[in-house]
C-alpha cells in the first residue's frame, strides 16, 4: 500500500515535444504529491507539487494532472528543452507524527533531443 | 540559504569494512531524513529524525546500519559491516518542522561502492 508505481522507465522526445510521465498509488492516506527532478551527481530537487483537492496545477512549462478517483497523477512538460533531460521522480506523502515522509516512484529518465 | 551539506562525496570500501557518512541540514530545519538510492531506483527512506529524536526507522537494517543526530543539528549514518548490496547513493534531506507541504531539500549525496 505504500508503493507508488511510475511509468515509463525511460522516455525520449524531440525538442518542443510534450513528454508525459504517469504515476499511480494505492494508499488513500497520501495527501500530497510532489515531483522531483534529479540531474546526474545531484540530489533530487522539488519541481512542482499538488494536493488531491485540485485536479490540475501549472508552474511554467510543468503541469500536474491529478485523478483522485483513479488514484493516478501525471507530469506534463510543455515545449520540452534539452536542459530538461534528467530523471523525474513522482512521490507521495502523508503526515507522520507531525512531519512528512516521501515514498518515491522508480523514476523516469527523460532525454530531450535537440 | 546554504543547502544540505554531505560528506564525503564518494567512498569505496571492501565488504565487511565500516563506513560513516555525515550530513549538515539547512539551518533551522528540524526534520532530517536519510534515504538510500540504488542505481536506477527511487530513493528509499532509511530513517527520519525530528530534532534529535527518531520518528521512523522501520526500514533501517539495524543489524548493520545506525544513525544519530546529536544536538538536533548534524547527523551521521554508519554501516558496519558493509555488504555488496549496500552500494548506493546515500542522500540526506531536511525540512521545516510542522509546515504542511514543507518540501524536502536534498543534499548531493554520498556515492558508496562496496567491493
Amino acid at each position: 500500500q505504500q508503493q507508488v508505481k511510475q511509468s515509463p522507465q525511460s522516455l525520449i522526445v524531440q525538442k518542443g515535444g510534450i513528454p508525459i510521465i504517469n504515476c499511480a498509488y494505492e494508499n488513500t492516506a497520501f495527501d500530497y504529491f510532489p515531483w522531483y527532478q534529479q540531474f546526474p551527481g545531484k540530489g533530487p530537487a522539488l519541481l512542482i507539487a499538488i494536493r488531491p483537492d485540485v485536479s490540475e496545477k501549472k508552474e511554467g512549462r510543468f503541469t500536474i494532472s491529478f485523478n483522485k478517483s483513479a488514484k493516478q497523477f501525471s507530469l506534463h512538460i510543455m515545449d520540452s528543452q534539452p536542459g530538461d533531460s534528467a530523471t523525474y521522480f513522482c512521490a507521495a506523502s502523508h503526515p507522520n507524527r507531525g512531519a512528512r515522509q516521501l515514498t518515491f516512484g522508480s523514476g523516469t529518465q527523460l532525454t530531450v533531443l535537440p | 540559504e546554504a543547502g544540505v551539506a554531505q560528506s564525503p562525496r564518494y567512498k569505496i570500501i571492501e565488504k565487511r569494512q565500516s563506513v560513516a557518512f555525515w550530513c549538515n541540514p539547512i539551518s533551522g530545519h528540524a526534520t532530517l531524513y536519510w534515504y538510500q538510492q540504488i542505481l536506477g531506483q527511487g530513493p528509499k527512506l532509511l530513517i527520519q529524525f525530528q530534532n534529535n529524536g527518531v520518528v521512523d526507522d522501520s526500514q533501517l537494517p539495524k543489524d548493520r546500519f545506525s544513525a544519530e543526530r546529536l544536538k538536533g543539528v548534524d547527523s551521521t549514518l554508519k554501516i558496519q559491516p558493509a555488504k555488496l548490496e549496500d552500494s548506493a547513493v546515500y542522500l540526506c534531506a531536511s525540512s521545516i518542522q510542522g509546515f504542511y507541504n514543507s518540501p524536502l531539500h536534498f543534499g548531493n549525496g554520498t556515492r558508496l561502492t562496496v567491493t
Side-chain angles (χ1 to χ4, degrees):
Chain A
Q1 267 215 329
Q2 288 294 97
Q3 278 190 324
V4 178
K5 295 182 179 179
Q6 182 171 348
S7 63
Q9 187 175 11
S10 63
L11 191 53
I12 301 174
V13 300
Q14 295 285 341
K15 177 183 175 182
I18 305 176
I20 301 172
I21 304 170
N22 300 298
C23 285
Y25 64 98
E26 289 294 326
N27 188 349
T28 55
F30 289 142
D31 63 353
Y32 174 63
F33 300 89
W35 286 87
Y36 279 76
Q37 179 188 55
Q38 186 176 30
F39 293 103
K42 301 293 186 181
L46 179 65
L47 194 60
I48 185 173
I50 196 168
R51 292 175 58 173
D53 52 351
V54 175
S55 61
E56 184 176 278
K57 183 174 181 180
K58 291 183 180 181
E59 285 186 4
R61 296 184 294 107
F62 300 93
T63 299
I64 300 178
S65 298
F66 189 86
N67 186 330
K68 186 175 181 178
S69 60
K71 291 185 281 187
Q72 296 176 347
F73 58 110
S74 59
L75 177 70
H76 302 230
I77 305 175
M78 313 302 271
D79 187 28
S80 59
Q81 301 295 313
D84 296 329
S85 297
T87 300
Y88 292 81
F89 293 96
C90 63
S93 172
H94 61 82
N96 179 27
R97 294 176 240 181
R100 296 211 148 258
Q101 292 183 349
L102 284 179
T103 299
F104 284 86
S106 54
T108 297
Q109 187 167 351
L110 172 66
T111 302
V112 182
L113 301 175
Chain B
E1 62 182 3
V4 175
Q6 290 189 248
S7 67
R9 286 286 280 131
Y10 306 94
K11 191 73 178 179
I12 301 174
I13 62 172
E14 295 182 351
K15 60 183 178 183
R16 291 187 289 274
Q17 287 187 324
S18 62
V19 63
F21 314 126
W22 175 82
C23 171
N24 190 26
I26 293 173
S27 178
H29 282 197
T31 309
L32 185 148
Y33 310 79
W34 283 100
Y35 279 85
Q36 180 193 57
Q37 186 175 23
I38 294 173
L39 185 65
Q41 299 182 19
K44 184 186 89 171
L45 179 69
L46 291 175
I47 188 167
Q48 178 183 355
F49 291 94
Q50 190 92 316
N51 297 306
N52 62 346
V54 175
V55 174
D56 187 347
D57 63 356
S58 58
Q59 298 187 78
L60 187 73
K62 298 182 187 64
D63 58 335
R64 298 184 300 107
F65 286 64
S66 64
E68 60 183 9
R69 189 183 184 196
L70 300 177
K71 301 179 182 178
V73 181
D74 57 351
S75 176
T76 303
L77 176 69
K78 297 179 181 177
I79 307 175
Q80 181 179 11
K83 292 185 175 182
L84 295 177
E85 59 261 36
D86 298 331
S87 294
V89 175
Y90 290 85
L91 294 164
C92 179
S94 68
S95 67
I96 295 173
Q97 175 186 1
F99 285 79
Y100 190 83
N101 295 349
S102 171
L104 266 64
H105 298 263
F106 283 87
N108 289 331
T110 296
R111 181 177 296 278
L112 173 68
T113 302
V114 182
T115 63

